Each structure stands twice: as C-alpha cells, then as structure tokens.
Amino acid sequence: MGKKKDVSIKDIAAHCGISVATVSRVLNNKGNYTPETRDKVLRAVDSLNYSVTQAPHHIHRTKLIGILVPDAQNEWFSVLIVHLETAFGKKGYRCLICHTNHEKSAELELCHYLIDAGICGLINIACTTSDIITLTAANNIPMVCIDRPPSDSLDQVACVESDHFLGAFIATELLIKRGCNRILFLGRFKESPINEPRLNGYLAALKQYGKPEASELIVNLQMDEYPNFSSTKNMVYYLIKSSVKFDGIFAVNDWRAFGALAALQMADIQIPNEVKLIGFDDVSLTRFCTPAISTIHQDDRLIAQTAADILLDAIEQCKLPDPCHIVIPIAIVERGTT
Amino acid sequence: MGKKKDVSIKDIAAHCGISVATVSRVLNNKGNYTPETRDKVLRAVDSLNYSVTQAPHHIHRTKLIGILVPDAQNEWFSVLIVHLETAFGKKGYRCLICHTNHEKSAELELCHYLIDAGICGLINIACTTSDIITLTAANNIPMVCIDRPPSDSLDQVACVESDHFLGAFIATELLIKRGCNRILFLGRFKESPINEPRLNGYLAALKQYGKPEASELIVNLQMDEYPNFSSTKNMVYYLIKSSVKFDGIFAVNDWRAFGALAALQMADIQIPNEVKLIGFDDVSLTRFCTPAISTIHQDDRLIAQTAADILLDAIEQCKLPDPCHIVIPIAIVERGTT
C-alpha cells in the first residue's frame, strides 16, 4: 500500500522481457503461462510499484483465500475454519470468510463477491450448487470442496470429506450390537450434502444385521433454527408420546442427539438402559452434558490440511485442481449414551 | 454480472447530468455528494451496465459489509456474527468476515483486504489498534466497533459494548453476598479490550464491600490455546495445591470458568459449598455442564442490531459515523455454582 508511481503494463512487460498479453494474462489470472513467468510478473509488479488502481484487482489474488461455509455457529464448521486458517496461514495466506446459510443464491452471490475481492483460491464447505463450479472455473479460480458437492458435479471437482457413510454405518452397528432393534434416524433437511451418505450408512447397517427399515423411523427435520435443539427435542418427545416405538437413536449431528437426549429425559426414559443414543461430529457439548453422548469423530484437522494442500498446489501451478474425491477416516467415540 | 457493454464514466455522467468528477467521487466512495446523487449514479451504473472491470471495484461497496472478529471458535463471537448477518441481511447487505486472532498486524492487513474487496462499511469486534481508525477514515469507510477500541482512540469512534464494568461488579457482588471473602479473578491477556473494565468492576465490588484486594488473587492467563480450558484448569489446580486460599472465583469468560470448575472437581472441592464460581458471556456450555455455571448474560442481539443500525445510517448518509459510546445492559444468570 505504498505510494504509487506511473508505471504501465508495458513497463512490466519490458522489465520482464515478455509480451504485454502475457502480463495481462497473469494479472487477470487467465492461465497459459508458467509458474516462473507468473512469479516474474508479480515480482516486477512489486518492484516497479505498479499502481493497484491501474491494475486489475485480481493481482491481489496471490495471498488471499475465500472460504464459503454454511454458518458461524456450528462448532464443527468453526473448528474447520480455524484449522484451514492455520494451514493457509503457515504459507502466508489470509482468509476471507462468507456464510451461505445453505442457500444456493447466497452461495453464488458471495462467490461473486469473493472473486471480485481478488481471491486466488476457494474452499467451499457443503457446496449446494454446481453453478459455483462453473463460476470459479470461468474465472480461473481453483476450488476445493469440503463435503461432497451436488451429485451431478462430483466428478468435476476436488473434494475432501469424512467417511460419512461408514460413520453412519458403525454408529448404527454399535446401537445394534448394544441390543437395539428399532433405531430412529434423525436426519436433516435435504439440501445438506452429508445427509444422504449418513442415511445410506444407517440403512446399510440395518440391512446387514437384518433389522427392519421403517419409514416412521426416518425423520428428517428442517433447519428452522440453530442449533436444531428445540425442534429435535419437540419431535422426539412427540414420537415418544405417539405410538412410534424405538430403542435406539442415531442423530446425524450432535445437537440433534442432544435435543433427543433432552426429550428422553423429559419423558423419564432411562439412557442407555431403555433407549440408546449416538450422534455425529464430536462437538464439545457431547463431552460436557450428562450423560456424555457417544458420537462419531471427524478428523477436522486432517480434512482442513488435505483441502489446503490441494488448493495451494493448484494455486502454485496456476491451474484448476484435478477432480478427486478424498475420503478421510472417522472414529467412533463411545460415551454414556450407548 | 451480466454482459458488459462499452460504457464509459463519461456516459454515466451524461446520463445523470452531472460532472465526470462527481461520478468518479461516487464510484470511489470519496464523499462530497448527496445521497440522491449517489443513488442516481449507482442506478445509472446498473441500467447502462457499466463494466465492472472498467469501474473501480469500490463500486461494489453498496451492499457489502466487512467484519473483523478475533476468532471463529468463541461462541460469543459467532453468535454476534449471526445476529450481525441477520441485521445487515434484512437491508440486503452481505458480510465478508476475517479473523484477526487478536493480532494487530493481522487486523491491519485484513482491513486492507476488506477495503480492496469493496466493502462499504466495517464492523470491528474487539479492535486492538487505532491504526484501523486512521485507515478506514482515510478510505472513507464508516466503521463501528463492538467492544471498546484502544483507550487513546475511544473518543474518535462509534462503539457499542456490554456494560463490562457493571457485569463484573455484580458478578463479584453476588459472590460476596453468597459469603465469599477471598475471590480469585481469572483474567485474560492484556490486549483484549474487555479485560480492563471487567477487572475494574471486580476491584470496585471488593472495595465497596470492604473485601481484601490481593495481587496473588489476580491471575491473567495468556491465550495460548483455545478455548483456554486446559491452561485455566492447570492454573487453578496449581493454586489449589499451593498456599493461595480462595473461596470464590470470578472468571472473565465462561470457558475459563469451566476450566476452573474442572480443577475444583479434580481436587474434590465442593461447589458451591466450599468455593463459588461465576463466569461471563452465557455461552451454551454453562447451561449443559454439571453443575450449570452462573454467569453474566450479554445481550448479543441488541449489541449487533445497534451496531448495524449506526453503520447503515452512516452508509446511507455517505459519511463516517459520529463518535459515540453506547453501553448495552447485562443480566446476571444464577445457576448451580453460586
């Protein structure tokens, strides 16, 4: 942000001994140049003190990462953000963060803002629309998804996620091994990319162990509030008071598990004797409530580092990352509710 | 982001019937024009489809708010962010969020990035350097602080905060009324703007009730990790095992209170019979741990809405907000530790 001199794009080209068109491609992040050329141009921009108001602002892309994330309150996401900022910070990158609230229109609009802000790469957590893939590719912005993008675009992107299917499978399996026969599935609204593999893992475990699959035991709650505590509590209390019978609950996240725990306690149902319960994510409340809640631990640090490595590699190579689908192992954490 | 036509700043000026210089001032957010002129120019930019690559990117400022916040993991901050996004969202504004980690250099660098990204206003939570005030003013970006800025700049900014002093006073007073004579103060690193008023509130209550002020009872812990649980637990356990005697603890935030609770329980000290404990912030864990922790509740929603109103008003009027210091009332929440 020093004083600006009257340096033109031609001066940059002359200084580097390359064409104006190449300098322009670098400044606009358009590709078709070597990493060496890019470094040369960016060093010339610095040393000649090329004016930022003259330059396309994409020049700032060098050290700025955009992060799209559904919300600020979900501890699982905020821990992920901290690990991402640490991973990028080690390489001198700063992060701009936008909350999409799981809304496609917000995701697109905020992605436009981030591109205009000059990001050189994007981490998209819980991507809900393939339009983002088109938008970032058109702007030559490398993107890495954390959690699966929409199924029609899975083979087009780099994506890192926990093994949601296996997590749900072993959670359900644990309930079965502890004696449960009728297991309630507490899912979330359909737009979330992780609901489907967690539902499939639950169904696969039921099938493998010959347990009945019943439509009245699969309950998907809309996210009408955060953290879904009260709506889940009310729904589970309603189910208890209705004719729906269950002796186990698998909740797709810990706040739903916590809501279910509150409903069971309100109805004087003994946990884990009468009903067993397991959540997903291993957020801190599962350790602090009474009884502490069994859950599936996601390796947030490894997910963040893996996604950051792929993105930084693509930025370094001035290309979009190759499509890939990296699945990070999960671990079961058994506590007082199973 | 539609197709761009070859429209120049002169066309905008002609369309509006004003000078090119005025159009330029509006596009660069330089002030010295009426809100009507600004609206006219921005409407012309839209209707003529003035190219974004031609325009200074500050043109995007109209609907983008920057938020500087220390970190993503502290629930108090993330709830504040949600309320801020709601308040700004109601008026059609989106938010770009950056985490400063309480570091001055990060705060300044990220503020530069946000200005370059085209924000039209800034919310600065727990501001640590008055340089930000200079930087935003020089760029005609209105700023509102949540929590007090450095004391040398308090009369220069608009700032909204909880009544930290009174919160600490009534927390300490409650411990005294419940019979405590030697109250441990668990504070935080000095850079935090809220430590001083909370310490002063604690000291004022001791003085008013004639309780001894002792240097060995004032413990400020560096933030070497988040959420300060383990370092606080270790420190309090160390104090218990040393010759330092206390029968009450006031922690400047709930995670420190929670760490203290764990240390007391590890040392088999009865709570609240032998030692009483109160925190600050009213984050969710205080309700879920056993015993539930008494704390001071900050009105996060009112703080966010007040700060947003001041900032939106300044943006609307194309001026920096008048310096002001708005103090939002707090409330005591008594639970099982007092």
Side-chain angles (χ1 to χ4, degrees):
Chain A
M1 294 282 153
K3 284 207 178 285
K4 310 293 186 278
K5 286 187 292 183
D6 208 15
V7 174
S8 76
I9 193 166
K10 286 182 192 169
D11 299 321
I12 306 279
H15 182 89
C16 299
I18 57 175
S19 73
V20 168
T22 304
V23 175
S24 172
R25 281 205 308 280
V26 171
L27 295 183
N28 286 288
N29 210 17
K30 292 288 186 195
N32 265 328
Y33 42 82
T34 64
E36 291 72 31
T37 301
R38 179 169 160 274
D39 284 353
K40 199 191 281 182
V41 169
L42 295 179
R43 273 199 304 272
V45 162
D46 273 351
S47 66
L48 298 177
N49 212 359
Y50 182 55
S51 163
V52 172
T53 53
Q54 287 176 297
H57 52 271
H58 300 128
I59 197 163
H60 288 301
R61 279 184 184 164
T62 32
K63 288 293 182 185
L64 197 55
I65 303 290
I67 302 179
L68 289 173
V69 58
D71 67 77
Q73 271 194 287
N74 185 320
E75 183 184 319
W76 156 245
F77 291 135
S78 43
V79 171
L80 206 51
I81 295 288
V82 171
H83 290 312
L84 285 166
E85 288 182 319
T86 303
F88 287 117
K90 277 188 284 188
K91 302 287 182 180
Y93 285 77
R94 297 287 191 188
C95 298
L96 283 182
I97 294 146
C98 291
H99 297 122
T100 64
N101 206 20
H102 288 290
E103 286 166 13
K104 286 181 191 183
S105 60
E107 204 176 318
L108 264 178
E109 190 184 337
L110 290 166
C111 188
H112 274 295
Y113 278 131
L114 288 173
I115 292 171
D116 287 347
I119 57 167
C120 60
L122 179 71
I123 294 284
N124 194 349
I125 304 172
C127 178
T128 60
T129 166
S130 54
D131 291 348
I132 293 281
I133 301 164
T134 316
L135 175 63
T136 49
N139 285 275
N140 283 296
I141 307 283
M143 176 175 80
V144 177
C145 291
I146 292 179
D147 282 345
R148 193 172 301 198
S151 53
D152 59 346
S153 49
L154 184 56
D155 58 351
Q156 298 166 43
V157 298
C159 128
V160 181
E161 62 175 347
S162 282
D163 197 335
H164 302 294
F165 175 88
L166 193 61
F169 183 93
I170 64 173
T172 310
E173 183 180 55
L174 178 69
L175 294 173
I176 294 169
K177 288 187 171 174
R178 294 283 175 272
C180 299
N181 284 298
R182 287 180 54 84
I183 298 170
L184 186 63
F185 174 86
L186 291 178
R188 72 171 94 185
F189 64 112
K190 306 231 167 27
E191 287 74 25
S192 164
I194 56 93
N195 201 58
E196 194 187 336
R198 293 189 187 173
L199 176 60
N200 289 340
Y202 158 84
L203 293 172
L206 293 187
K207 195 172 174 190
Q208 177 159 330
Y209 287 91
K211 299 295 173 189
E213 176 193 329
S215 62
E216 75 272 20
L217 292 179
I218 297 174
V219 177
N220 286 301
L221 288 157
Q222 291 299 316
M223 186 142 103
D224 52 354
E225 41 127 37
Y226 188 82
N228 322 116
F229 172 79
S230 302
S231 55
T232 311
K233 178 180 160 188
N234 293 340
M235 173 57 80
V236 172
Y237 192 74
Y238 168 80
L239 292 172
I240 292 167
K241 295 297 170 188
S242 74
S243 57
V244 178
K245 296 294 170 204
F246 54 90
D247 52 10
I249 301 177
F250 167 50
V252 294
N253 68 25
D254 288 330
W255 274 98
R256 281 182 169 72
F258 189 60
L261 180 70
L264 295 168
Q265 289 176 332
M266 198 160 73
D268 282 327
I269 292 174
Q270 295 300 308
I271 310 154
N273 293 349
E274 293 175 78
V275 173
K276 299 177 209 321
L277 171 68
I278 189 163
F280 207 115
D281 287 345
D282 196 19
V283 301
S284 52
L285 79 91
T286 55
R287 298 191 285 285
F288 305 143
C289 60
T290 308
I293 298 173
S294 300
T295 188
I296 301 295
H297 176 78
Q298 301 194 59
D299 193 342
D300 36 37
R301 194 183 301 263
L302 184 58
I303 292 170
Q305 188 64 56
T306 306
D309 287 345
I310 297 171
L311 190 60
L312 289 169
D313 193 51
I315 292 167
E316 188 62 30
Q317 295 185 50
C318 306
K319 66 178 190 67
L320 301 183
D322 294 327
C324 62
H325 182 206
I326 296 177
V327 175
I328 306 290
I330 47 73
I332 201 159
V333 183
E334 192 162 11
R335 300 199 179 98
T337 56
T338 48
Chain B
M1 293 282 156
K3 284 210 177 280
K4 310 294 188 274
K5 286 187 294 181
D6 209 15
V7 174
S8 76
I9 193 167
K10 285 183 191 167
D11 298 322
I12 306 279
H15 183 90
C16 300
I18 58 176
S19 72
V20 168
T22 304
V23 174
S24 172
R25 281 205 308 279
V26 171
L27 295 183
N28 286 288
N29 210 16
K30 292 289 186 195
N32 265 328
Y33 43 81
T34 64
E36 291 73 29
T37 301
R38 179 168 159 277
D39 284 353
K40 198 191 281 181
V41 170
L42 295 179
R43 272 200 305 273
V45 162
D46 273 351
S47 67
L48 297 177
N49 212 358
Y50 182 55
S51 162
V52 172
T53 54
Q54 286 177 298
H57 51 271
H58 300 128
I59 197 165
H60 289 299
R61 280 186 182 160
T62 32
K63 289 292 182 186
L64 197 55
I65 303 291
I67 302 180
L68 289 172
V69 59
D71 68 77
Q73 272 193 286
N74 184 320
E75 183 185 319
W76 156 245
F77 291 135
S78 44
V79 171
L80 206 50
I81 295 287
V82 171
H83 290 312
L84 284 166
E85 289 182 319
T86 304
F88 287 116
K90 277 188 284 188
K91 301 288 182 180
Y93 285 78
R94 297 287 191 188
C95 298
L96 283 182
I97 295 146
C98 291
H99 298 121
T100 64
N101 207 18
H102 288 290
E103 286 167 12
K104 286 181 191 182
S105 59
E107 204 176 317
L108 264 178
E109 189 184 339
L110 291 166
C111 187
H112 274 294
Y113 278 131
L114 288 173
I115 292 172
D116 287 347
I119 57 166
C120 60
L122 179 70
I123 294 284
N124 194 348
I125 303 172
C127 178
T128 59
T129 168
S130 53
D131 291 348
I132 293 282
I133 301 165
T134 317
L135 176 62
T136 49
N139 285 275
N140 283 297
I141 306 283
M143 175 176 79
V144 176
C145 290
I146 291 178
D147 282 345
R148 194 171 300 198
S151 53
D152 60 345
S153 49
L154 185 55
D155 58 351
Q156 297 165 43
V157 297
C159 128
V160 181
E161 62 175 347
S162 282
D163 197 336
H164 302 295
F165 175 88
L166 193 61
F169 183 93
I170 64 173
T172 311
E173 184 180 53
L174 178 70
L175 294 173
I176 293 169
K177 288 188 171 174
R178 293 283 175 273
C180 299
N181 283 299
R182 288 179 55 84
I183 298 169
L184 187 63
F185 175 86
L186 291 178
R188 73 171 93 185
F189 65 113
K190 306 234 166 25
E191 288 73 26
S192 165
I194 56 93
N195 202 58
E196 194 188 336
R198 293 188 188 175
L199 176 61
N200 290 340
Y202 158 84
L203 293 172
L206 293 187
K207 195 172 174 189
Q208 176 160 330
Y209 288 91
K211 299 295 173 190
E213 176 192 329
S215 61
E216 76 270 21
L217 293 179
I218 297 174
V219 177
N220 286 301
L221 289 158
Q222 291 299 316
M223 184 140 105
D224 52 353
E225 41 128 35
Y226 187 82
N228 322 115
F229 172 79
S230 302
S231 55
T232 311
K233 178 181 160 187
N234 294 340
M235 173 58 80
V236 172
Y237 191 74
Y238 168 79
L239 292 172
I240 292 166
K241 296 296 171 189
S242 75
S243 58
V244 178
K245 297 293 170 203
F246 54 90
D247 53 10
I249 301 176
F250 167 51
V252 295
N253 67 26
D254 289 330
W255 274 97
R256 281 182 169 73
F258 189 59
L261 180 70
L264 294 169
Q265 290 176 330
M266 199 160 72
D268 282 328
I269 291 173
Q270 295 300 308
I271 310 154
N273 293 349
E274 294 174 78
V275 173
K276 298 177 209 320
L277 171 68
I278 188 164
F280 208 115
D281 288 345
D282 196 20
V283 300
S284 52
L285 79 91
T286 56
R287 298 191 284 287
F288 306 142
C289 60
T290 308
I293 298 174
S294 301
T295 189
I296 301 294
H297 177 78
Q298 301 194 60
D299 194 341
D300 36 36
R301 193 183 302 263
L302 184 58
I303 292 170
Q305 188 64 57
T306 305
D309 287 346
I310 296 171
L311 190 59
L312 290 170
D313 193 50
I315 291 167
E316 187 62 31
Q317 295 184 49
C318 306
K319 67 178 190 65
L320 301 182
D322 294 327
C324 63
H325 183 205
I326 296 176
V327 176
I328 305 290
I330 47 73
I332 200 159
V333 183
E334 193 163 10
R335 300 199 179 98
T337 57
T338 48

